[in-house]
């Protein structure tokens, strides 16, 4: 009787991904000597996602000339690090563990090798944490717990470890419609309106206020942030978006005066004037992130503003494209086109520190694709490069 065990789909995909990553080693040494940017990729491991083939956090070296991701390898095993953030000192990395019993893990970064060393893991203060960011001083981490609809503020201790929550706020009250108000024709993007779901939390550019989206409530909350204690105080009534549209992520313009929010279920982008002194939002424009003739279902996922503030990029899952908008002198958006992500289910996109390349984490096709950015026009051109990594959820760069 043969003793060979059948190869599971997951083991096959993990093995294939590992072989593809290893094939870049012979080119990585020269690229690293040339001076590359380190990248870290968080993945779904299967703990909370049916398509989780990853094992944790991977690291790559990015060639600044070609945008190619090299030297891919597993840097740390940790469950479903679906969102990661790097400390302002560049010495530490923090990752949510998107599980029902949510947690956040802290790692020390070896600047020479890119290796990650586990420091500690603490409770996220809720379930299914989906986002983490750090305040400008690096003293506090903001964690959005999607499952429990809560926002936690975790202190960052001097040695890089995380402490227990200094603040925990749970959204209460009514939720929006199951169907988006501004949905395209034939849309069945129904998700998240069964209860409050905090999806993102980020300090404003002045580090005075913390903004948080609640997808289930169709609201953006603004809190006054005490930089000494980490405490949050509700600043004003939350800003409401159309019922069922589902605000997911937002991005500030480099001038700090405009904020762009992408809605997951309606695939719309809302343009806000942001009053930095008051911490208030006023909507000015709403546009679709989809082409005018689109019909069907799409789940909008990510929104980015180019470093020069001239262009905005919006990713969508199922339609699997990245839309490109020009940003006018008054902050308003004008559609200029879209490109295919060359992959399935782009969960996150990011621009490298030089502003030359955009990367798409295609979760369901186990690859990251890259696009060269034409700075005068904002146009994206596929580089032809695929970086194999299982179930990529986010990519961040250590500049």
């Amino acid at each position: 009787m043969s003793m060979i065990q059948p190869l599971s789909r997951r083991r096959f995909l993990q093995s294939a991904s590992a072989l593809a990553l290893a094939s870049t080693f012979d080119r990585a040494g020269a690229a690293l000597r040339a001076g590359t940017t380190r990248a870290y990729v968080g993945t779904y491991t299967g703990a909370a996602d049916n398509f989780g083939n990853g094992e944790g956090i991977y690291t790559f070296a990015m060639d600044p000339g070609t945008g190619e991701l090299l030297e891919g390898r597993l840097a740390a095993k940790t469950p479903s690090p679906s969102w990661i953030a790097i400390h302002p000192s560049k010495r530490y990395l923090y990752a949510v563990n998107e599980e029902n019993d949510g947690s956040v893990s802290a790692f020390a970064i070896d600047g020479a090798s890119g290796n990650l060393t586990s420091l500690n893991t603490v409770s996220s203060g809720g379930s299914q944490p989906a986002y983490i960011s750090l305040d400008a001083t690096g003293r506090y981490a903001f964690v959005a717990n999607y499952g429990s609809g809560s926002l936690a503020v975790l202190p960052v201790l001097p040695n890089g470890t995380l402490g227990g929550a200094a603040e925990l706020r749970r959204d209460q009250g009514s939720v929006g419609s199951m169907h988006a108000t501004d949905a395209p024709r034939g849309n069945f993007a129904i998700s998240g309106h069964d209860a409050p779901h905090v999806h993102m939390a980020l300090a404003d550019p002045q580090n005075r206020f913390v903004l948080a989206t609640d997808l289930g409530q169709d609201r953006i909350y603004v809190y006054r942030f005490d930089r000494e204690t980490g405490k949050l105080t509700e600043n004003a009534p939350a800003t409401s978006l159309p019922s069922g549209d589902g605000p997911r992520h937002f991005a500030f313009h480099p001038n700090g005066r405009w904020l762009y929010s992408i809605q997951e279920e309606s695939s719309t982008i809302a343009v806000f004037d942001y009053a930095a002194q008051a911490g208030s939002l006023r909507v000015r424009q709403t546009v679709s992130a989809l082409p005018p003739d689109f019909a069907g279902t799409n789940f909008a996922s990510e929104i980015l503003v180019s470093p020069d503030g001239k262009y905005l990029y919006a990713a969508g899952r199922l339609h699997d494209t990245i839309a490109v908008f020009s940003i006018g002198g008054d902050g308003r958006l004008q559609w200029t086109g879209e490109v295919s992500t060359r992959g399935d289910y782009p969960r996150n996109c990011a621009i490298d520190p030089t502003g030359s390349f955009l990367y798409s984490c295609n979760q369901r096709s186990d690859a990251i694709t890259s696009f060269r950015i034409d700075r005068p026009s904002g146009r994206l051109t596929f580089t032809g490069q695929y970086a194999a990594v299982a179930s990529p959820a986010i990519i961040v760069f250590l500049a």
Side-chain angles (χ1 to χ4, degrees):
M1 179 182 296
S2 171
M3 299 299 292
I4 297 176
Q5 298 297 314
L7 185 65
S8 69
R9 175 182 180 271
R10 172 170 295 177
R11 286 178 58 203
F12 171 78
L13 288 168
Q14 289 174 344
S15 298
S17 180
L19 288 171
L21 294 175
S23 70
T24 66
F25 285 167
D26 57 345
R27 291 172 289 163
L32 286 172
R33 286 191 296 273
T36 61
T37 297
R38 177 70 58 184
Y40 290 94
V41 177
T43 66
Y44 277 102
T45 66
D49 192 277
N50 292 330
F51 295 92
N53 302 311
E55 295 184 78
I57 302 170
Y58 295 79
T59 183
F60 291 83
M62 187 203 104
D63 185 310
T66 66
E68 188 173 8
L69 296 176
L70 304 166
E71 201 212 13
R73 56 186 169 79
L74 183 66
K77 282 193 173 185
T78 190
S80 286
S82 63
W83 202 268
I84 55 181
I86 293 176
H87 192 271
S89 70
K90 304 178 184 179
R91 297 173 57 194
Y92 310 111
L93 180 148
Y94 301 94
V96 301
N97 301 122
E98 193 176 334
E99 300 180 293
N100 289 331
D101 294 325
S103 60
V104 182
S105 296
F107 300 89
I109 300 173
D110 184 300
S113 67
N115 292 339
L116 298 178
T117 301
S118 177
L119 295 176
N120 75 328
T121 298
V122 300
S123 171
S124 68
S127 64
Q128 297 176 340
Y131 197 97
I132 183 169
S133 64
L134 294 151
D135 87 298
T137 69
R139 294 179 58 192
Y140 294 97
F142 309 113
V143 182
N145 291 293
Y146 180 88
S148 55
S150 60
L151 166 59
V153 183
L154 306 181
V156 178
L157 305 183
N159 63 358
T161 60
L162 293 168
E167 177 74 287
L168 183 63
R169 302 186 69 93
R170 184 164 185 169
D171 291 349
Q172 304 285 345
S174 61
V175 296
S177 168
M178 292 294 290
H179 296 272
T181 298
D182 296 323
R185 292 179 295 114
N187 173 66
F188 288 92
I190 299 172
S191 67
H193 283 83
D194 56 328
H197 292 296
V198 182
H199 214 311
M200 176 179 177
L202 180 73
D204 72 355
Q206 291 75 33
N207 210 41
R208 297 181 58 199
F209 297 94
V210 173
L211 288 77
T213 57
D214 191 304
L215 183 146
Q217 293 187 320
D218 300 307
R219 296 172 188 165
I220 302 176
Y221 289 88
V222 180
Y223 300 98
R224 188 174 295 275
F225 171 50
D226 187 322
R227 290 171 284 188
E228 296 303 317
T229 65
K231 296 296 183 181
L232 302 177
T233 304
E234 196 162 333
N235 186 55
T239 298
S240 295
L241 288 105
S243 183
D245 282 12
R248 177 182 172 90
H249 288 172
F250 58 85
F252 280 98
H253 190 273
N255 66 17
R257 295 187 290 109
W258 305 323
L259 179 142
Y260 302 91
S261 171
I262 192 164
Q263 282 58 257
E264 180 171 314
E265 296 182 35
S266 63
S267 294
T268 58
I269 301 169
V271 181
F272 292 92
D273 287 321
Y274 179 68
Q277 295 302 312
S280 61
L281 296 166
R282 181 176 65 87
V283 67
R284 179 190 295 184
Q285 180 192 24
T286 300
V287 299
S288 176
L290 297 165
D293 58 349
F294 179 87
T297 299
N298 179 73
F299 291 90
S301 57
E302 193 58 276
I303 188 165
L304 304 169
V305 175
S306 62
D308 61 10
K310 295 181 179 179
Y311 298 97
L312 180 144
Y313 302 96
R317 296 161 291 179
L318 298 187
H319 187 44
D320 295 338
T321 59
I322 300 169
V324 184
F325 294 84
S326 62
I327 300 176
D330 60 355
R332 295 172 69 89
L333 300 177
Q334 177 67 48
W335 168 278
T336 65
E338 64 177 14
V339 297
S340 167
T341 63
R342 303 301 204 279
D344 187 3
Y345 222 67
R347 181 167 287 275
N348 166 259
C349 295
I351 297 172
D352 83 288
T354 71
S356 300
F357 297 95
L358 183 147
Y359 296 83
S360 176
C361 293
N362 304 306
Q363 179 190 352
R364 293 184 180 175
S365 51
D366 300 303
I368 297 174
T369 46
S370 58
F371 301 81
R372 187 178 289 275
I373 300 172
D374 179 67
R375 295 188 186 182
S377 68
R379 185 177 61 186
L380 301 177
T381 302
F382 181 47
T383 64
Q385 298 164 5
Y386 296 82
V389 59
S391 303
I394 179 173
I395 182 170
V396 299
F397 295 92
L398 181 64

